[in-house]
Amino acid sequence: MSLLLFYNDPGALKEEGNTLFNAGDMQGALCFYTKALKLSHSQVESAVLHRNRSACYLKLEDYTKAEADASKALDADPGDVKARFRRAQALQKLGRLNEAFLDAQRCAQMEPTNNTFKEMLRLLGAQSQKKVTIQMSSTDARVQQMFSLLLDPSAQPSDRQKAAQNLVVLSREEAGAEQIFRNDGVKLIQSLLGSNQEEVVLSALRTLVGLCTGHQSRTMAIVNELGMEQLCGVMGSGASAVSLAACHLLQVMFEALTEGMNREIRGKDEAILPEPSRELRSMLRHLVEMMPASSVSGPGRDSAINLLVKQVPRKSQRNPDNSLTLWVIDQGLKKILEVAGTVPEMSEGPPLTDNSHMSCSVLLSKLYDDLKSDAERENFNKLCEEYVQHHFGRPGLESKLRAIQTVSVLLQGPSDVGNRTLEMSGMMDAVISLCASEVVCHQQVAVEALIHAAGKAKRASFITANGVALLKDLYKKSENDQIRVRALVGLCKLGSAGGTDFSMKQFAEGSTLKLAKQCRKWLCNESLPPTSRRWAIEGLAYLTFDADVKEDLVEDRNALQAMFQLAKSEDKTVLFAVGSTLVNCTNSYDVDKPDPQMVELAKYAKQHVPEEHPKDAHSFVEKRLMKLLEAGVVSALVCMGKQESPALTETCRECIARVFLALVERQEDRGTVVAQGGGKALLPLVSESTDVGKTKAAQALAKITITSNPEIAFPGERIYEVVRPLVSLLTLDCTLLQNFESLMALTNLAGISERLRQKIIKEKAVPKVEGYMFEEHELVRAAATECMCNLVLSTEVQQLYVATGNDRLKLLVLYSGEEDERLRKAAAGTLAMLTAEQPELCARIPGTTSHWLEILQALLLSDSLELRHRGVVVMLNLMQAEKSLAETLMESEALEILSVLAKSTEQSSISRAAQHCLDKAIEYGIIKKPEEGGEGNEP
C-alpha cells in the first residue's frame, strides 16, 4: 500500500494504532486513532476507534477523556461491553462510584461468567458503602453542629441565621434530610417558625421543603407533627415572602401525598403506611377555612386560593374521581363566595389584594368545570343563587353591593352560573341604578358588573339599549378617572361586538379610534393606580379587533412599553388582557376563511358576509410583529409565562403560545426570540395550556428547531424536553403544515446523538414517521423519509428493516427511483446507511423490485452530485457484501458508469468510492486491473 493511500485509509491507521498500543506506545496509538477518526465515515468504525482511544486515555491516566470517548462509543452501540467496562473504569477513578457501579452491573448482566466484571462490582460495592458511611457520619456531624448553634440562646443572631441557611442546604441531600428528620429536627424547625427574624422563618420553611420533596412518609409525619393550623398561620401572615415560601411548602406536601396515592407499587419503607387521604382532607379543610378569616392577610388568602386551584380539580378528565371537588363545594363554596362578594372599600369582609377577585373567579370556574353531571352542576348553581339571593334580599345597600360583586366574580368565572344570578328579579335594575350613585365605590362595583355582563351575548343587547347612554354619560361627566376608565371599557366592549368583521361597526366612524387613544393615554399615566391602568388594557383588548387601533397601538412605543411593564408587575389580573391585546395585534387568532361559492350565495340571498379590514393583510401584520419585537414583547411574554398565579389560566397560556407562534413565523426573527428566552418559555406551554395552546406552542418549538441549532436553542437537558411536543404534532388532528414542521424538527434532533434518537423512539415516533412516508403530499412524504434517514443510525430502527415479512426496504428502493429529487435523496441516503450498517440487507435488494438495477444506475447518472454520491455508496456496499451481487453489477452498465465516475474530477468522494467499487471487482477477479496507459477495465 502506498504511503499516501495508507494515510487516507482509516482502517490501516486503526491497525497501526493497535500495533503501537500492544507495544506500549500509548501516545503513538492515540495519534493514529485520532487521525483515523477524522477520516472515518462509518458509525461502527468510529465507535471502535473511540473505544480504543478510551483505552489509551485510561493507560495515560486522563480519566475525563477516557470517560468521554467510551460514552461516544456507547452512543453508537449501547451493547458494546468493552466500551462500557472502560467507562466504568474511568468513572471509578473519577470518584463517580454510583455511575461506575451501574456500568459494571450492566457488563456483568451481558457477560455473567466474566470474573473481571464480578470483581469490579464487588470492589465498587465496597467503595460505595465506605463513601456513604463517611458521608453519613460527616452529615450527622454537620447537622448536630447546626442544631447546637440554633438551640444556643447566647449565639449571635447572624450566626443563627447562617446555621438556619446551612440546614436548608443539608436538607436538599437525602442523607442530610434523613439525619435532620431522625434527630428530632422537625421540633426544632417548629420553634424556628415562631422566630421574629424573617430570614430564619424562610430558612425553616425551605428546610421543610427539602424534607418533604418526593417523600411521602416524612411528609405525613411532618403534617401530623406540625399541624396544618400552624402552617396555614404562617402562610396567612403579612410578609409576602414568608407567605409564598409557606405556599410552596404546602404545594410540595400536596405533591408528595398525592404521588404516594397514585403510585401503584410503593417502596418497602412505605408499604405499611396508611393512605394519606386523611392528611389531604385536613390540609384542604384548613385552606377553605382561611377564605373568610379576617386574620389572614391578602397575599396569604391568594396563596390558599392558588393551592386549591392546583390541587382540587382533576388533572385529567379520564380520572373518574372528582370527590375532592365535590367535598370542597360542599364544605367551602359559600366561604369562597364570601371572598368573591367582598368589596374592599367597605369595612366588612376579609382583606384582599388586587388579584383576589380574579383568583376567586378562576377557582370557581375550575370547580364548576370539574363537575361530571347535570345534577352536580345544578347543585353548584343552586348554592350560588341562594348565597346571592340571601344578600340581595336583605335590607341595606352594603348587602346588595355584596350580591352584585359576587355576580361580577361569577361572570368572570363560570359565566353560565353568573348569567343565572344576573337574571334574578331586580338584579339588572339595581346595577343600572347604582351606576348613577354618588358614592364612588358603589358606582365602581356597579360599572364593573355592567362591563362583565356586557360580554355575555344574552345581556349585550339589553345593555346596548339601556346602558350605552349611561356609560357615555359617566365617561364624559364623571370627575373620577377610576370611574371614567371603567365606563370607557364598557363602551369598548360594546363597540367591539362585531369582532374582526370590518363591516360590523357599533359606533360612528372615528369613535373607536378616539376610545383607543384615551385608553393609551390612561395606560401611560403613571399617576393612576395600577388597577385603573389595567382597565385601560382591558379596553384595548376589545378595541384591537379593529385594525386601525392595532396600527396606532404598535406605533405608540410608550403605550407598548407601559403595557409590557404592567405585564411584569405584581398585578396578575392584567395577564389575560395583555395576552388578548397581543393576539389581536399579531392576528394570531383563528380565522375561518369562508368558501368563495358560499360567499357568492350569501350575497345573492342578501345575507351578511364578514369583511376583512385592509390593514389586516399579511404585509401589515408582518410590520406590526417587527415593531412588537423591537419594543420588547418577548421579555414580557417570558415574564407572563413564569407567573405563579391562578390568573395565568390555560386560556391565558394559549394566548401567549399564539403570540410566540406568530413571532417565530419569520425565519430571521427566530434567533431574537430564542436569545431573549422564548425557547425556554415555550416548554411549559406545551404541557400547561388548552389543547389548542399546546399545539401552537409545539409548532413554535418546531419552527425554532428547524432553523436554529437545537443544542444552542435548548441547552443541556432541555433539548430532550422538546421531543414529546414535536411528536404530539404527528397526528391527523394537526394540519399538514404542522406535520411537516414536526418531521423537519425531529430530523434535526435525530441527527445530533444516539441519546436523542432513543428519546424519539421511546416517544413511539417511529411508526408515526413511517405512516407519513406514505403521505400523498410530496413535501410531507419527503420530510418523513429524511427523518427516517437519521433515525436509522439507531440499531433498533435498523432491526425493523432487517426483520422479514415487511416492505420497508422495498419502499426505500422504489422511492430512490421517484421523480421528486428531495424524496430520492432521503430514500437513497437511508439505503446507503442501512446497507453499510446491516450488510445482510444488500442480498435482499434485488428481490424488492425487478427495476432495482435501473434505479441504482439512474442514481449514478443523476445530474445531482448528492444523488450520485448516495448511489455509488450503495453500489460499494452491495459489492462488499457479496461477490454474486458484485458480479451482477459488473455485468450491467454499472461497470461503464463507475469507470467514468472514477476518473471524474467533479467531487473527490464520488470518484474515490467509484474507484473502491472497481478495486473490489478486481479483488474478486471479476474484472482485470487496467494496464498502465490502458483504456479501461475489462471483465
Side-chain angles (χ1 to χ4, degrees):
M1 184 183 287
S2 70
L3 192 62
L4 181 62
L5 191 56
F6 171 81
Y7 278 108
N8 284 312
D9 184 355
L13 290 166
K14 184 187 82 172
E15 291 305 320
E16 185 61 25
N18 290 348
T19 304
L20 291 170
F21 182 88
N22 292 330
D25 183 357
M26 296 304 139
Q27 287 291 0
L30 192 64
C31 181
F32 275 94
Y33 290 145
T34 302
K35 285 178 182 175
L37 271 168
K38 288 176 183 175
L39 294 169
S40 176
H41 296 295
S42 163
Q43 188 184 12
V44 174
E45 188 176 52
S46 295
V48 173
L49 288 165
H50 276 121
R51 184 182 73 199
N52 291 359
R53 204 167 66 165
S54 176
C56 292
Y57 283 130
L58 278 171
K59 295 284 186 184
L60 294 167
E61 298 184 4
D62 191 340
Y63 302 118
T64 303
K65 287 182 179 175
E67 186 268 334
D69 266 1
S71 293
K72 285 174 185 173
L74 288 168
D75 276 345
D77 181 9
D80 188 338
V81 72
K82 285 186 181 178
R84 195 167 291 281
F85 181 62
R86 282 171 194 165
R87 188 168 75 173
Q89 289 175 301
L91 289 167
Q92 181 185 23
K93 294 293 184 182
L94 290 168
R96 290 154 64 181
L97 299 178
N98 289 343
E99 293 171 72
F101 186 85
L102 289 173
D103 272 344
Q105 192 176 48
R106 184 77 189 274
C107 289
Q109 286 168 352
M110 288 191 278
E111 293 186 14
T113 58
N114 191 314
N115 290 325
T116 306
F117 297 160
K118 289 179 183 176
E119 179 59 21
M120 189 178 194
L121 263 179
R122 188 189 65 75
L123 279 172
L124 284 168
Q127 286 177 337
S128 296
Q129 189 59 46
K130 186 178 178 182
K131 186 177 177 182
V132 168
T133 305
I134 293 167
Q135 276 184 340
M136 288 294 280
S137 59
S138 168
T139 303
D140 191 28
R142 283 187 292 161
V143 168
Q144 291 299 338
Q145 185 184 358
M146 296 309 115
F147 278 12
S148 299
L149 266 172
L150 289 166
L151 292 167
D152 183 0
S154 62
Q156 292 293 319
S158 58
D159 290 339
R160 295 188 78 213
Q161 192 172 316
K162 194 172 180 181
Q165 288 168 350
N166 287 339
L167 213 56
V168 176
V169 176
L170 286 167
S171 72
R172 288 172 184 160
E173 302 167 7
E174 179 53 33
E178 195 58 29
Q179 287 297 330
I180 293 168
F181 185 74
R182 288 178 185 236
N183 284 293
D184 220 8
V186 178
K187 282 188 178 174
L188 172 64
I189 293 166
Q190 189 170 18
S191 68
L192 295 179
L193 289 173
S195 170
N196 294 325
Q197 288 181 274
E198 187 176 300
E199 282 301 316
V200 171
V201 177
L202 286 171
S203 295
L205 292 167
R206 288 165 186 161
T207 303
L208 287 170
V209 167
L211 296 181
C212 294
T213 301
H215 205 292
Q216 189 199 52
S217 57
R218 280 205 296 257
T219 303
M220 290 177 74
I222 289 167
V223 169
N224 287 316
E225 188 165 346
L226 289 182
M228 276 301 297
E229 197 166 333
Q230 182 173 11
L231 291 173
C232 287
V234 173
M235 189 169 75
S237 67
S240 59
V242 170
S243 177
L244 283 171
C247 178
H248 178 55
L249 169 60
L250 289 171
Q251 174 77 24
V252 167
M253 286 178 158
F254 269 115
E255 286 169 1
L257 293 175
T258 51
E259 279 175 24
M261 287 174 71
N262 296 334
R263 205 181 302 138
E264 288 182 17
I265 301 168
R266 299 189 181 184
K268 59 184 179 181
D269 294 336
E270 298 173 316
I272 57 170
L273 289 174
E275 288 290 348
S277 54
R278 183 170 63 85
E279 283 77 10
L280 274 174
R281 290 187 189 276
S282 167
M283 291 171 80
L284 289 173
R285 186 174 65 256
H286 280 88
L287 290 176
V288 165
E289 285 170 0
M290 285 179 74
M291 293 291 113
S294 57
S295 58
V296 176
S297 68
R301 184 169 288 97
D302 286 355
S303 293
I305 295 171
N306 196 4
L307 282 167
L308 289 170
V309 168
K310 285 183 177 180
Q311 298 303 327
V312 174
R314 292 169 290 168
K315 301 291 184 288
S316 168
Q317 295 297 313
R318 285 175 294 190
N319 175 11
D321 183 17
N322 68 341
S323 58
L324 283 182
T325 295
L326 296 175
W327 185 87
V328 169
I329 290 170
D330 183 53
Q331 300 292 317
L333 180 58
K334 292 198 174 177
K335 289 173 179 158
I336 297 166
L337 293 174
E338 284 289 315
V339 179
T342 298
V343 180
E345 291 78 6
M346 292 159 54
S347 57
E348 190 183 338
L352 306 182
T353 69
D354 292 339
N355 301 310
S356 298
H357 281 145
M358 175 62 78
S359 298
C360 264
S361 293
V362 174
L363 175 57
L364 290 165
S365 183
K366 289 275 187 184
L367 293 172
Y368 187 73
D369 291 343
D370 200 42
L371 299 175
K372 296 190 296 183
S373 67
D374 289 343
E376 289 173 359
R377 284 184 280 274
E378 185 56 38
N379 179 55
F380 189 100
N381 272 302
K382 186 182 172 188
L383 290 169
C384 291
E385 284 177 12
E386 283 175 0
Y387 178 85
V388 172
Q389 185 63 58
H390 169 72
H391 286 284
F392 192 69
R394 285 172 63 188
L397 193 56
E398 283 192 9
S399 197
K400 283 184 172 51
L401 282 168
R402 176 176 279 279
I404 293 169
Q405 179 62 55
T406 306
V407 171
S408 195
V409 169
L410 286 168
L411 285 167
Q412 292 177 84
S415 56
D416 290 345
V417 182
N419 269 323
R420 277 182 57 166
T421 55
L422 192 64
E423 289 165 7
M424 289 167 57
S425 177
M427 183 64 72
M428 274 306 298
D429 292 334
V431 171
I432 296 287
S433 171
L434 280 168
C435 282
S437 171
E438 292 181 2
V439 181
V440 172
C441 76
H442 298 176
Q443 202 175 27
Q444 196 168 298
V445 170
V447 172
E448 285 183 18
L450 194 65
I451 293 166
H452 296 312
K456 314 304 162 194
K458 280 187 176 181
R459 287 281 147 200
S461 56
F462 173 86
I463 294 165
T464 304
N466 299 280
V468 170
L470 178 62
L471 289 171
K472 281 183 179 177
D473 206 42
L474 287 170
Y475 172 57
K476 289 176 181 176
K477 296 179 181 177
S478 176
E479 294 178 4
N480 188 299
D481 277 346
Q482 294 187 46
I483 297 299
R484 289 187 69 212
V485 73
R486 285 164 172 78
L488 175 62
V489 172
L491 291 171
C492 294
K493 205 167 187 179
L494 293 167
S496 66
T500 57
D501 185 355
F502 180 49
S503 62
M504 291 278 287
K505 296 297 167 194
Q506 302 293 314
F507 296 144
E509 189 70 34
S511 296
T512 304
L513 289 173
K514 286 178 185 174
L515 291 173
K517 186 178 179 182
Q518 186 60 52
C519 281
R520 297 202 312 274
K521 182 181 173 184
W522 270 323
L523 175 59
C524 296
N525 185 356
E526 293 185 8
S527 63
L528 280 174
T531 47
S532 296
R533 294 172 71 204
R534 186 255 295 176
W535 280 101
I537 301 177
E538 288 268 356
L540 288 170
Y542 295 109
L543 293 175
T544 45
F545 283 120
D546 187 315
D548 287 315
V549 175
K550 301 177 196 183
E551 288 292 313
D552 286 353
L553 176 59
V554 296
E555 291 292 343
D556 190 340
R557 188 72 173 263
N558 291 335
L560 284 179
Q561 291 186 335
M563 180 167 73
F564 296 158
Q565 284 304 316
L566 276 173
K568 299 173 186 177
S569 71
E570 291 185 9
D571 184 3
K572 311 299 188 296
T573 56
V574 79
L575 295 176
F576 185 69
V578 174
S580 300
T581 304
L582 291 173
V583 165
N584 292 341
C585 287
T586 57
N587 282 37
S588 48
Y589 41 72
D590 293 326
V591 179
D592 291 326
K593 297 267 182 177
D595 187 309
Q597 289 184 331
M598 296 303 293
V599 170
E600 290 304 316
L601 283 171
K603 286 178 180 175
Y604 179 76
K606 295 183 180 179
Q607 295 290 318
H608 172 69
V609 179
E611 293 177 26
E612 185 181 64
H613 196 295
K615 290 181 181 177
D616 274 329
H618 179 71
S619 58
F620 282 92
V621 176
E622 202 169 81
K623 287 174 186 172
R624 290 202 291 266
L625 285 164
M626 290 168 68
K627 284 172 182 169
L628 286 168
L629 280 167
E630 288 166 10
V633 67
V634 176
S635 63
L637 291 170
V638 170
C639 283
M640 287 166 69
K642 286 179 181 174
Q643 300 285 1
E644 280 291 326
S645 165
L648 186 64
T649 59
E650 289 185 347
T651 311
C652 188
R653 286 189 173 95
E654 181 190 314
C655 290
I656 297 170
R658 285 178 179 275
V659 178
F660 266 128
L661 180 57
L663 292 171
V664 297
E665 188 62 41
R666 290 197 334 147
Q667 188 173 325
E668 52 266 48
D669 294 331
R670 292 172 195 171
T672 305
V673 172
V674 170
Q676 294 178 14
K680 182 182 177 183
L682 278 164
L683 288 170
L685 297 176
V686 294
S687 57
E688 300 171 3
S689 184
T690 62
D691 289 340
V692 172
K694 290 173 185 176
T695 302
K696 300 286 183 188
Q699 191 179 1
L701 284 173
K703 287 180 185 288
I704 290 169
T705 310
I706 290 168
T707 52
S708 306
N709 181 344
E711 291 175 289
I712 294 172
F714 310 103
E717 293 297 303
R718 207 171 289 150
I719 194 169
Y720 301 99
E721 295 176 43
V722 179
V723 174
R724 183 172 292 175
L726 293 180
V727 175
S728 73
L729 294 176
L730 297 180
T731 64
L732 295 174
D733 295 333
C734 293
T735 64
L736 274 180
L737 176 62
Q738 290 165 341
N739 299 155
F740 173 71
E741 289 177 334
S742 168
L743 290 164
M744 293 273 285
L746 287 169
T747 302
N748 271 4
L749 293 178
I752 292 173
S753 72
E754 177 61 21
R755 189 179 166 199
L756 267 169
R757 286 191 288 277
Q758 288 298 322
K759 176 67 175 171
I760 293 169
I761 294 165
K762 188 179 177 183
E763 292 296 336
K764 298 182 174 60
V766 176
K768 294 181 179 182
V769 173
E770 285 189 307
Y772 283 102
M773 287 173 72
F774 293 93
E775 175 58 51
E776 286 183 21
H777 196 290
E778 60 183 34
L779 284 175
V780 177
R781 187 168 64 237
T785 311
E786 285 170 345
C787 189
M788 186 57 70
C789 186
N790 281 350
L791 287 171
V792 294
L793 290 167
S794 179
T795 310
E796 284 180 51
V797 182
Q798 291 168 20
Q799 291 307 314
L800 295 175
Y801 284 86
V802 171
T804 55
N806 65 73
D807 289 331
R808 289 186 174 96
L809 190 62
K810 180 179 180 178
L811 184 68
L812 292 177
V813 175
L814 291 173
Y815 276 0
S816 298
E818 285 285 313
E819 288 182 12
D820 178 14
E821 187 173 310
R822 183 173 175 178
L823 178 61
R824 287 179 79 196
K825 284 179 184 175
T830 312
L831 208 54
M833 274 189 273
L834 279 170
T835 50
E837 300 296 334
Q838 300 291 339
E840 64 188 279
L841 290 173
C842 296
R844 285 159 48 183
I845 286 179
T848 57
T849 171
S850 57
H851 301 291
W852 71 278
L853 198 50
E854 295 168 38
I855 290 168
L856 293 184
Q857 288 172 0
L859 289 174
L860 297 178
L861 292 168
S862 172
D863 293 334
S864 164
L865 290 175
E866 290 178 65
L867 279 174
R868 222 182 290 169
H869 183 250
R870 286 160 169 75
V872 78
V873 170
V874 174
M875 284 278 190
L876 179 58
N877 293 338
L878 293 178
M879 293 188 70
Q880 288 175 333
E882 284 188 14
K883 184 179 178 180
S884 60
L885 282 172
E887 287 172 342
T888 305
L889 292 171
M890 290 300 100
E891 287 166 6
S892 71
E893 293 174 17
L895 172 59
E896 188 180 340
I897 301 168
L898 288 168
S899 299
V900 173
L901 290 176
K903 295 174 184 176
S904 171
T905 56
E906 278 190 279
Q907 190 170 333
S908 60
S909 59
I910 295 174
S911 56
R912 193 163 56 243
Q915 186 59 54
H916 283 322
C917 287
L918 297 173
D919 291 344
K920 197 70 187 173
I922 293 167
E923 184 186 318
Y924 284 141
I926 302 168
I927 62 172
K928 293 177 183 177
K929 186 175 182 181
E931 294 180 15
E932 201 68 39
E935 301 244 340
N937 300 297
E938 289 183 11

